[in-house]
Amino acid sequence: MKRHLLIAAPALVLALAGCSGGQDQQAEGGQLPTAINQGTGTPPADPTPVESRTQGAAPGNAGEAEVKFTKCENTKSGVQMEAEITNTTKEKRIYIVTGLAYDDSKKSVASAALMSDPLDAGASAKVSGKSTSAVKTKGDLTCEASDINSMPQS
């Protein structure tokens, strides 16, 4: 029994020491490394907060697609958004669009993600998305794209 304890104790110490080696390495000055956008080598840009975005402003990455909203309706379970996305690039891409709903006072009141299957260059698709909850507002809502993200597909 004592032999097993003499063998198990050093093995346990080594195992515990090995577990602590997986911690993140800190850069000079005690800072953790900054995330880098995959493939670009640049730090990610800070997204524009919804509250400070001006209605009618060009969406982020607007050169990747054209987005036209065809429905913006406040329902009991959330704001229903429908849009048509057109691939304006020369390659097949998949899209994720962030849609924002604005009330009559041009205040953003809801958001939803609208996603497409891969679209060939020049192709269009109808997409839809819904916010997670209904909003209390008087009057009609206006929806528009605040950001367009896409990824090449092969």
Side-chain angles (χ1 to χ4, degrees):
M1 178 80 164
K2 288 184 182 180
R3 266 191 239 166
H4 293 297
L5 185 58
L6 289 175
I7 294 172
L12 180 62
V13 170
L14 289 173
L16 291 175
C19 291
S20 67
Q23 294 177 347
D24 291 334
Q25 297 295 321
Q26 290 188 346
E28 288 182 30
Q31 298 293 321
L32 291 174
T34 303
I36 302 295
N37 282 341
Q38 185 176 1
T40 65
T42 60
D46 289 332
T48 302
V50 171
E51 299 82 31
S52 67
R53 186 176 184 284
T54 303
Q55 183 179 1
N61 304 325
E64 295 181 5
E66 182 179 305
V67 179
K68 293 181 184 176
F69 280 82
T70 58
K71 183 177 183 180
C72 185
E73 181 180 341
N74 192 13
T75 67
K76 290 181 181 179
S77 59
V79 176
Q80 179 67 41
M81 298 180 196
E82 293 180 4
E84 185 172 346
I85 299 175
T86 302
N87 181 350
T88 58
T89 69
K90 297 182 182 205
E91 60 188 348
K92 186 176 188 176
R93 298 183 82 79
I94 190 168
Y95 289 92
I96 300 174
V97 174
T98 303
L100 289 181
Y102 294 92
D103 63 10
D104 286 342
S105 65
K106 297 185 179 182
K107 177 184 172 194
S108 61
V109 293
S111 64
L114 298 89
M115 297 175 265
S116 77
D117 288 328
L119 295 174
D120 290 326
S124 296
K126 293 183 182 197
V127 295
S128 64
K130 193 175 210 177
S131 69
T132 57
S133 60
V135 295
K136 293 179 182 179
T137 184
K138 294 179 182 177
D140 292 332
L141 297 177
T142 303
C143 289
E144 63 181 38
S146 67
D147 197 28
I148 301 169
N149 290 296
S150 70
M151 199 170 21
Q153 300 292 300
S154 49

